[in-house]
């Protein structure tokens, strides 16, 4: 069964450093997403991406964040200058359509900012 | 503002008994409703969805959910719980023309005891 894969599974970074989280969505999917889950809190939407551009973003997704689909298979989330409060589990997801098509999620990247 | 509420942080059920995990939503427009399950150290797995039509939808692993428009609810049910159903369950809603964004509830921990 096809799946969304994320690397790395765990990333520890110093405050102020740049970090890139990587995802390989399901190959025939057209919509790509990033969500995050701070420990003990809800899963929160960050951004959706379609046709090589952002289609929706949340208030959380400020200028420190960016997304890219560099090569037609990978989908990345970059945080330019990490803060302690960026520590969370980050989930990548993809779907074939929207809004009535289910999204498939990766296993997550746990980001720890120290 | 659009929101999803799962009023119970934890649900405890004996194996073989029926289970219900509650979800209510508040959105403008027609909702598309989803249930996801998260096992430890895994991503979110899609269980079932309501888009339109029959209010009772069936999904994976014997789960079903009932859409109730007047009560704005989408409760997850299973006639006979298994110990292996123990996990974290998330209700989510998607809205037309919002890039496929999912709004999640805070999650309900289901514990099924033998």
């Amino acid at each position: 069964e096809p799946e969304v894969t994320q690397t790395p599974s765990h990333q520890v970074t110093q405050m102020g450093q740049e970090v890139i989280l990587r995802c390989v969505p399901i190959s025939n999917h057209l919509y790509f997403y990033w969500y995050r889950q701070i420990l003990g809190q809800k899963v929160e939407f960050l951004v959706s991406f379609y046709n090589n551009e952002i289609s929706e973003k949340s208030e959380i997704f400020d200028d420190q964040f960016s997304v890219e689909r560099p090569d037609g298979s990978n989908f990345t989330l970059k945080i330019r200058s990490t803060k302690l409060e960026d520590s969370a589990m980050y989930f990548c997801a993809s779907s074939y359509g929207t809004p009535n098509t289910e999204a498939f999620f990766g296993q997550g990247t746990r980001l720890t900012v120290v | 503002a659009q929101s999803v509420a799962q009023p119970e942080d934890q649900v405890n059920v004996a194996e073989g008994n029926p289970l219900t995990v509650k979800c209510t939503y508040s959105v403008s427009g027609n909702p598309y409703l989803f249930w996801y399950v998260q096992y430890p150290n895994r991503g979110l797995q899609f269980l079932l969805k309501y888009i339109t039509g029959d209010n009772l939808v069936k999904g994976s692993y014997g789960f079903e959910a009932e859409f109730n428009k007047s009560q704005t609810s989408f409760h997850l049910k299973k006639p006979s719980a298994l110990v292996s159903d123990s996990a974290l369950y998330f209700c989510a809603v998607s809205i037309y023309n919002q890039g496929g964004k999912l709004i999640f509830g805070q999650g309900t921990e289901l514990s099924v005891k033998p």
Side-chain angles (χ1 to χ4, degrees):
Chain A
E1 185 176 317
E3 59 180 14
V4 176
T5 57
Q6 290 185 244
T7 54
S9 56
H10 191 188
Q11 171 108 36
V12 181
T13 189
Q14 297 241 331
M15 191 168 53
Q17 294 296 305
E18 176 183 285
V19 65
I20 297 175
L21 308 183
R22 302 180 191 280
C23 168
V24 179
I26 293 173
S27 61
N28 66 339
H29 283 184
L30 303 174
Y31 295 82
F32 315 109
Y33 314 90
W34 284 101
Y35 290 82
R36 79 172 185 190
Q37 185 179 30
I38 295 171
L39 191 62
Q41 297 186 24
K42 287 187 184 187
V43 177
E44 300 173 291
F45 169 80
L46 291 178
V47 65
S48 60
F49 191 85
Y50 169 72
N51 200 26
N52 281 322
E53 61 183 26
I54 291 173
S55 50
E56 185 82 16
K57 63 181 180 179
S58 72
E59 297 162 352
I60 303 166
F61 195 87
D62 61 20
D63 292 344
Q64 293 298 312
F65 292 87
S66 62
V67 289
E68 195 177 31
R69 189 156 160 81
D71 57 11
S73 61
N74 291 284
F75 181 52
T76 62
L77 174 69
K78 183 192 290 187
I79 309 174
R80 286 190 182 79
S81 178
T82 49
K83 308 184 191 74
L84 293 176
E85 54 264 38
D86 293 327
S87 296
M89 181 73 90
Y90 288 80
F91 292 107
C92 174
S94 67
S95 67
Y96 184 75
T98 182
N100 56 358
T101 306
E102 59 271 26
F104 290 81
F105 284 75
Q107 79 280 17
T109 293
R110 180 163 296 286
L111 176 66
T112 303
V113 182
V114 297
Chain B
Q2 287 146 159
S3 63
V4 176
Q6 293 179 240
E8 300 154 319
D9 289 336
Q10 182 151 17
V11 170
N12 297 309
V13 176
E15 188 174 32
N17 282 1
L19 70 87
T20 299
V21 182
K22 295 180 181 176
C23 172
T24 58
Y25 64 91
S26 174
V27 301
S28 53
N30 291 324
Y32 303 101
L33 294 154
F34 300 83
W35 276 101
Y36 284 85
V37 60
Q38 185 179 31
Y39 298 99
N41 301 314
R42 301 290 300 274
L44 288 86
Q45 295 179 35
F46 168 74
L47 274 182
L48 50 78
K49 65 182 178 183
Y50 172 81
I51 303 302
T52 187
D54 193 350
N55 288 342
L56 185 66
V57 294
K58 295 186 184 298
S60 307
Y61 312 120
F63 283 94
E64 57 191 31
E66 186 164 13
F67 172 65
N68 187 316
K69 189 172 183 177
S70 62
Q71 295 186 4
T72 62
S73 67
F74 188 55
H75 300 332
L76 181 70
K77 300 181 181 187
K78 188 173 182 181
S80 178
L82 300 172
V83 172
S84 57
D85 292 330
S86 298
L88 189 57
Y89 290 80
F90 290 96
C91 181
V93 66
S94 178
I95 311 294
Y96 178 75
N97 210 26
Q98 289 196 4
K101 172 174 74 173
L102 286 170
I103 301 167
F104 283 89
Q106 70 270 33
T108 298
E109 185 83 40
L110 174 67
S111 177
V112 182
K113 299 286 192 222

